[in-house]
Amino acid sequence: MPNFDLKDFKGVIPALITPFDENERFDETRMRICVDFLIGRGVGGLYTTGSTGETFLMSPDERARVVEVVVDQVAGRVPVVAHVGAIGTRLSVDLAQQAQAAGVDAISSVPPFYWPFTPDQVFNYYTDLTRSTDLPMVVYNIPLAGLLGFDQIKRLASIPGVKGIKYTAPTHFEILRIKEEVGKEFRVYSGSDEMAMSGLSFGADGIIGSFYNMIPEVFIALMSAVENGDMGLAKTLQETANAIIFFSLNYTPTAVIKKCMTWQGADAGYCRKPFDNFVTEVEEESLKTAWRKLKQDRNINGVAFLDVL
Ligand code: MN9
C-alpha cells in the first residue's frame, strides 16, 4: 500500500541518481547512503529510475531492484515515485507492477519513444499502463522522448488515474493553462532545473530534476523565496544554480552530480558507459580546481559542495 497521496509529493524532488560501482554494477550500499543523505537535506520526495537515474542503461530487473532498494531505505519517510517508462507497453506494465509491489506511492512514464508512435498509440500506452496498477500516474513530458502537445496532455489527463505531469519543456505558460483547463488538483512538476523559479511562480506544485541531488539547499531556499513572494531572492538563487548547472553541462552532468555528492559525504559512485566518469585523481583534482575558480569568479557562497572543496 502506498504511504502517501500524490498531493504529498511536492517541494524539491531529486530525479534520483543510481550509483554504480567501478565495474558498472548497481551499488546498493551507495544507493542507501544517497537516499539518507537527500532525506537529511530536506527533499520533499524521490523520483527514481528516470533519465538522471540512467534508467535506459539498465535491464528491467535492475530497474526493479533499484526501486525496491530505494523504497526499503526510505521506509515511509518521504513519498517515492518510480519512473517505469519503456518503449513497449508490456515492459512498462511489468515495471509498474513490480514498483507497486515494492511499495511506491505513484508511477511515472515518458511516452513511448524512438519510433514515431501516433497520438492514439501514445494515449493507449498511458491507458494500459495506468490501468495496470492502482497507483496514480505522473506523465513525463520531456523533449528527449518527443514532446506531447497541449491537446494530447489534456487528453492524457482525462484517463482515470492520470493525476499529474512532470513538465520538462520550456513552454512554462502551459503550466498555467494545465491548472486552468485540467484543474488545480492536477499535479504539475516543473522539470527544467534552469527554470525552477519560472515553473514555481507559474504554479507548479514541485520541482523534479537532476541537480536537486547535488544542490538541494539552493532550490529549497529558492522555493521558499517564491512562496514568500521574494522574487529578487529567488532570482539570485536561480542565477547561482544556473552558473553551477551550465558549468556541469560541459561534462557528463550525472558524473559531475555524483562527484559533488561524494564530496559532501554521500558516495554516489559512477555512471554507466557510454557516459564517462572522473576516474583518476588528476581528473578529479582538475574538476575541483575548475569549481573553485567558478566559486571565486561568481562570488558564490552558501553552496554546500563548494564550501567543502
Ligand atoms: O527534468 C532533467 N532533464 C533531463 C529532468 O535529464 C533531460 C533536468 O533536471 C535537467 O537535467 C536539468 C539540466 O538541464 O534541467
Side-chain angles (χ1 to χ4, degrees), residues 13 15 47 50-53 140-144 166-169 189-196 207-213 219 245-246 248-249 253-254 257:
I13 302 159
Y47 183 95
S51 330
T52 311
Y140 187 177
N141 194 27
I142 177 165
L144 289 174
K166 170 166 161 24
Y167 193 93
T168 304
Y189 303 98
S190 177
S192 265
D193 312 3
E194 299 87 326
M195 299 195 296
I207 50 178
I208 304 177
S210 322
F211 285 87
Y212 315 144
N213 289 279
F219 288 97
I245 293 171
F246 294 134
S248 306
L249 294 179
T254 316
I257 290 169

Side-chain angles (χ1 to χ4, degrees), residues 20 56 63 84-85 131 184 224 230 240 245 259 265 286 304:
F20 299 100
F56 297 114
R63 288 173 63 173
V84 299
R131 272 201 199 129
K184 290 218 173 343
S224 354
D230 191 343
T240 300
I245 293 171
K259 270 294 164 223
S286 79

Side-chain angles (χ1 to χ4, degrees), residues 14-16 46-50 53 55 66-67 70-71 80-84 104:
L16 191 62
L46 295 170
Y47 183 95
T48 73
T49 46
T55 216
V66 171
V67 172
V70 171
V71 171
V80 177
V81 174
H83 171 264
V84 299
V104 302

Side-chain angles (χ1 to χ4, degrees), residues 62-77:
E62 288 175 316
R63 288 173 63 173
R65 181 66 192 144
V66 171
V67 172
E68 249 175 38
V69 170
V70 171
V71 171
D72 181 63
Q73 190 63 26
V74 168
R77 287 177 287 172

Side-chain angles (χ1 to χ4, degrees), residues 26-186:
F26 168 52
D27 192 325
E28 190 178 317
T29 308
R30 283 175 163 129
M31 183 83 266
R32 291 180 186 277
I33 290 170
C34 292
V35 164
D36 285 349
F37 163 77
L38 291 168
I39 295 177
R41 298 292 290 276
V43 302
L46 295 170
Y47 183 95
T48 73
T49 46
S51 330
T52 311
E54 297 172 68
T55 216
F56 297 114
L57 304 182
M58 285 192 277
S59 70
D61 284 351
E62 288 175 316
R63 288 173 63 173
R65 181 66 192 144
V66 171
V67 172
E68 249 175 38
V69 170
V70 171
V71 171
D72 181 63
Q73 190 63 26
V74 168
R77 287 177 287 172
V78 295
V80 177
V81 174
H83 171 264
V84 299
I87 300 179
T89 306
R90 181 180 282 264
L91 262 174
S92 307
V93 164
D94 274 356
L95 287 165
Q97 292 178 341
Q98 292 177 85
Q100 177 166 38
V104 302
D105 299 291
I107 52 171
S108 178
S109 176
V110 293
F113 56 95
Y114 186 70
W115 288 290
F117 296 105
T118 65
D120 282 348
Q121 288 164 346
V122 171
F123 178 81
N124 293 337
Y125 169 88
Y126 279 107
T127 306
D128 292 339
L129 181 54
T130 308
R131 272 201 199 129
S132 75
T133 74
D134 305 321
L135 298 171
M137 158 67 74
V138 178
V139 170
Y140 187 177
N141 194 27
I142 177 165
L144 289 174
L147 285 177
L148 302 159
F150 188 73
D151 291 342
Q152 178 76 331
I153 291 175
K154 273 182 86 172
R155 198 171 161 218
L156 297 179
S158 74
I159 300 170
V162 172
K163 302 285 189 199
I165 188 164
K166 170 166 161 24
Y167 193 93
T168 304
T171 34
H172 273 190
F173 57 89
E174 285 190 351
I175 296 179
L176 289 174
R177 237 187 128 188
I178 291 168
K179 288 283 184 186
E180 260 167 39
E181 294 185 32
V182 179
K184 290 218 173 343
E185 290 306 303
F186 194 76

